[in-house]
Short mmCIF file of all heavy atoms in Angstrom, two decimals:
data_model
loop_
_atom_site.label_atom_id
_atom_site.label_comp_id
_atom_site.label_asym_id
_atom_site.label_seq_id
_atom_site.Cartn_x
_atom_site.Cartn_y
_atom_site.Cartn_z
N ILE A 1 126.85 50.79 158.15
CA ILE A 1 125.75 50.50 159.12
C ILE A 1 124.83 49.44 158.48
O ILE A 1 124.44 48.51 159.20
CB ILE A 1 124.94 51.79 159.42
CG1 ILE A 1 125.89 52.81 160.09
CG2 ILE A 1 123.81 51.49 160.32
CD1 ILE A 1 125.26 54.19 160.24
N ASP A 2 124.48 49.63 157.26
CA ASP A 2 123.56 48.64 156.60
C ASP A 2 123.91 48.60 155.12
O ASP A 2 124.49 49.53 154.57
CB ASP A 2 122.06 49.15 156.73
CG ASP A 2 121.10 47.97 156.60
OD1 ASP A 2 121.53 46.89 156.36
OD2 ASP A 2 119.88 48.27 156.67
N GLN A 3 123.56 47.47 154.52
CA GLN A 3 123.96 47.25 153.11
C GLN A 3 122.93 46.33 152.47
O GLN A 3 122.41 45.42 153.04
CB GLN A 3 125.32 46.58 153.13
CG GLN A 3 125.75 45.96 151.83
CD GLN A 3 127.19 45.46 151.92
OE1 GLN A 3 128.03 46.10 152.43
NE2 GLN A 3 127.37 44.28 151.37
N LEU A 4 122.60 46.65 151.21
CA LEU A 4 121.71 45.84 150.36
C LEU A 4 122.37 45.59 149.05
O LEU A 4 122.74 46.58 148.37
CB LEU A 4 120.35 46.52 150.14
CG LEU A 4 119.46 46.69 151.32
CD1 LEU A 4 118.25 47.57 151.00
CD2 LEU A 4 119.00 45.37 151.89
N PRO A 5 122.51 44.37 148.54
CA PRO A 5 122.33 43.10 149.19
C PRO A 5 123.39 42.90 150.30
O PRO A 5 124.41 43.52 150.27
CB PRO A 5 122.50 42.09 148.06
CG PRO A 5 123.22 42.78 146.97
CD PRO A 5 122.96 44.26 147.15
N SER A 6 123.12 41.99 151.18
CA SER A 6 123.94 41.73 152.33
C SER A 6 125.29 41.10 151.90
O SER A 6 125.43 40.60 150.82
CB SER A 6 123.22 40.77 153.29
OG SER A 6 123.10 39.52 152.76
N GLU A 7 126.24 41.10 152.81
CA GLU A 7 127.53 40.49 152.52
C GLU A 7 127.41 38.99 152.23
O GLU A 7 128.11 38.48 151.40
CB GLU A 7 128.52 40.74 153.66
CG GLU A 7 129.09 42.11 153.74
CD GLU A 7 130.18 42.21 154.78
OE1 GLU A 7 131.06 41.36 154.80
OE2 GLU A 7 130.12 43.16 155.57
N THR A 8 126.51 38.38 152.96
CA THR A 8 126.24 36.92 152.71
C THR A 8 125.78 36.67 151.33
O THR A 8 126.28 35.76 150.67
CB THR A 8 125.28 36.39 153.76
OG1 THR A 8 125.72 36.76 155.08
CG2 THR A 8 125.08 34.91 153.63
N ALA A 9 124.82 37.50 150.87
CA ALA A 9 124.30 37.31 149.52
C ALA A 9 125.39 37.53 148.51
O ALA A 9 125.48 36.83 147.52
CB ALA A 9 123.12 38.30 149.29
N LEU A 10 126.25 38.56 148.70
CA LEU A 10 127.33 38.83 147.79
C LEU A 10 128.34 37.66 147.76
O LEU A 10 128.82 37.25 146.68
CB LEU A 10 128.06 40.09 148.12
CG LEU A 10 127.23 41.38 147.92
CD1 LEU A 10 127.94 42.58 148.46
CD2 LEU A 10 126.89 41.59 146.48
N ARG A 11 128.62 37.10 148.91
CA ARG A 11 129.56 35.94 148.96
C ARG A 11 128.98 34.76 148.26
O ARG A 11 129.69 34.04 147.51
CB ARG A 11 129.86 35.57 150.45
CG ARG A 11 131.11 36.18 150.97
CD ARG A 11 131.49 35.67 152.31
NE ARG A 11 130.92 36.59 153.30
CZ ARG A 11 130.09 36.21 154.29
NH1 ARG A 11 129.88 35.00 154.52
NH2 ARG A 11 129.62 37.14 155.11
N ASN A 12 127.66 34.51 148.46
CA ASN A 12 127.00 33.38 147.73
C ASN A 12 127.07 33.61 146.21
O ASN A 12 127.27 32.66 145.45
CB ASN A 12 125.60 33.23 148.23
CG ASN A 12 125.50 32.70 149.61
OD1 ASN A 12 126.48 32.12 150.15
ND2 ASN A 12 124.37 32.91 150.27
N ARG A 13 126.83 34.86 145.80
CA ARG A 13 126.89 35.10 144.33
C ARG A 13 128.26 34.89 143.76
O ARG A 13 128.46 34.31 142.69
CB ARG A 13 126.43 36.51 144.04
CG ARG A 13 124.93 36.73 144.19
CD ARG A 13 124.55 38.17 143.90
NE ARG A 13 123.18 38.46 144.23
CZ ARG A 13 122.65 39.63 144.14
NH1 ARG A 13 123.32 40.68 143.74
NH2 ARG A 13 121.38 39.77 144.47
N ALA A 14 129.29 35.34 144.51
CA ALA A 14 130.65 35.16 144.07
C ALA A 14 131.02 33.66 144.05
O ALA A 14 131.65 33.19 143.04
CB ALA A 14 131.61 35.94 144.98
N TYR A 15 130.61 32.93 145.01
CA TYR A 15 130.89 31.49 145.05
C TYR A 15 130.16 30.82 143.92
O TYR A 15 130.80 29.96 143.25
CB TYR A 15 130.40 30.93 146.42
CG TYR A 15 130.48 29.44 146.50
CD1 TYR A 15 131.71 28.79 146.71
CD2 TYR A 15 129.40 28.61 146.38
CE1 TYR A 15 131.84 27.41 146.77
CE2 TYR A 15 129.45 27.25 146.48
CZ TYR A 15 130.68 26.68 146.69
OH TYR A 15 130.78 25.27 146.74
N ASP A 16 128.93 31.16 143.65
CA ASP A 16 128.18 30.54 142.61
C ASP A 16 128.79 30.82 141.21
O ASP A 16 128.91 29.95 140.37
CB ASP A 16 126.74 30.97 142.62
CG ASP A 16 125.84 30.19 141.70
OD1 ASP A 16 125.99 28.96 141.67
OD2 ASP A 16 124.98 30.81 141.00
N SER A 17 129.18 32.06 140.98
CA SER A 17 129.78 32.40 139.71
C SER A 17 131.14 31.74 139.53
O SER A 17 131.53 31.34 138.46
CB SER A 17 129.87 33.93 139.53
OG SER A 17 130.80 34.49 140.47
N ALA A 18 131.94 31.62 140.62
CA ALA A 18 133.20 30.91 140.54
C ALA A 18 132.99 29.43 140.25
O ALA A 18 133.76 28.85 139.48
CB ALA A 18 133.99 31.08 141.84
N ARG A 19 132.00 28.84 140.90
CA ARG A 19 131.71 27.42 140.62
C ARG A 19 131.28 27.20 139.16
O ARG A 19 131.62 26.23 138.52
CB ARG A 19 130.58 26.97 141.55
CG ARG A 19 131.00 25.93 142.49
CD ARG A 19 129.90 25.44 143.34
NE ARG A 19 128.81 24.90 142.53
CZ ARG A 19 127.61 24.61 142.97
NH1 ARG A 19 127.32 24.86 144.19
NH2 ARG A 19 126.72 24.15 142.17
N GLY A 20 130.48 28.19 138.66
CA GLY A 20 130.00 28.05 137.25
C GLY A 20 131.14 28.16 136.24
O GLY A 20 131.21 27.38 135.31
N THR A 21 132.07 29.05 136.45
CA THR A 21 133.18 29.19 135.54
C THR A 21 134.14 28.02 135.67
O THR A 21 134.71 27.55 134.69
CB THR A 21 133.94 30.54 135.72
OG1 THR A 21 134.37 30.60 137.06
CG2 THR A 21 133.06 31.70 135.40
N GLN A 22 134.37 27.53 136.87
CA GLN A 22 135.26 26.37 137.06
C GLN A 22 134.67 25.16 136.46
O GLN A 22 135.37 24.38 135.83
CB GLN A 22 135.50 26.16 138.60
CG GLN A 22 136.44 25.01 138.81
CD GLN A 22 136.58 24.71 140.29
OE1 GLN A 22 135.84 25.14 141.10
NE2 GLN A 22 137.58 23.89 140.63
N GLY A 23 133.34 24.95 136.56
CA GLY A 23 132.66 23.81 135.95
C GLY A 23 132.75 23.88 134.45
O GLY A 23 132.90 22.84 133.82
N ALA A 24 132.66 25.09 133.87
CA ALA A 24 132.77 25.17 132.41
C ALA A 24 134.15 24.85 131.95
O ALA A 24 134.33 24.31 130.85
CB ALA A 24 132.39 26.60 131.98
N GLN A 25 135.18 25.19 132.73
CA GLN A 25 136.52 24.92 132.34
C GLN A 25 136.85 23.45 132.38
O GLN A 25 137.51 22.92 131.53
CB GLN A 25 137.51 25.68 133.19
CG GLN A 25 137.46 27.17 133.03
CD GLN A 25 138.35 27.87 134.08
OE1 GLN A 25 138.86 27.26 134.97
NE2 GLN A 25 138.41 29.21 133.94
N THR A 26 136.37 22.72 133.37
CA THR A 26 136.68 21.32 133.57
C THR A 26 135.89 20.48 132.60
O THR A 26 136.40 19.48 132.17
CB THR A 26 136.45 20.86 135.02
OG1 THR A 26 135.08 21.10 135.36
CG2 THR A 26 137.37 21.58 135.98
N THR A 27 134.67 20.85 132.26
CA THR A 27 133.87 19.96 131.40
C THR A 27 134.37 20.06 129.96
O THR A 27 134.17 19.18 129.19
CB THR A 27 132.36 20.34 131.45
OG1 THR A 27 132.24 21.73 131.13
CG2 THR A 27 131.79 20.04 132.79
N GLY A 28 135.03 21.14 129.62
CA GLY A 28 135.57 21.31 128.26
C GLY A 28 136.71 20.39 127.94
O GLY A 28 137.00 20.03 126.83
N SER A 29 137.48 19.99 128.96
CA SER A 29 138.66 19.22 128.77
C SER A 29 138.43 17.68 128.92
O SER A 29 139.34 16.91 128.79
CB SER A 29 139.77 19.65 129.70
OG SER A 29 139.37 19.40 131.06
N LEU A 30 137.21 17.31 129.28
CA LEU A 30 136.92 15.87 129.45
C LEU A 30 136.80 15.14 128.13
O LEU A 30 136.25 15.72 127.20
CB LEU A 30 135.63 15.71 130.26
CG LEU A 30 135.66 16.08 131.73
CD1 LEU A 30 134.31 15.89 132.35
CD2 LEU A 30 136.69 15.27 132.48
N SER A 31 137.25 13.95 128.07
CA SER A 31 137.12 13.13 126.89
C SER A 31 135.85 12.21 127.09
O SER A 31 135.74 11.58 128.11
CB SER A 31 138.32 12.23 126.73
OG SER A 31 138.10 11.39 125.64
#
């Protein structure tokens, strides 16, 4: 019926954490 934090907030957190880990992986391999 109701949820805290909302599904949108959870999706944004998941997206942000995935972006952060992907950015850390790509910047480590750059020359």
Side-chain angles (χ1 to χ4, degrees):
I1 299 171
D2 202 1
Q3 166 176 316
L4 293 173
S6 67
E7 284 189 47
T8 305
L10 291 173
R11 265 187 267 127
N12 288 341
R13 287 181 189 174
Y15 175 75
D16 191 43
S17 65
R19 244 184 58 194
T21 56
Q22 182 185 14
Q25 291 172 356
T26 58
T27 56
S29 64
L30 289 178
S31 175

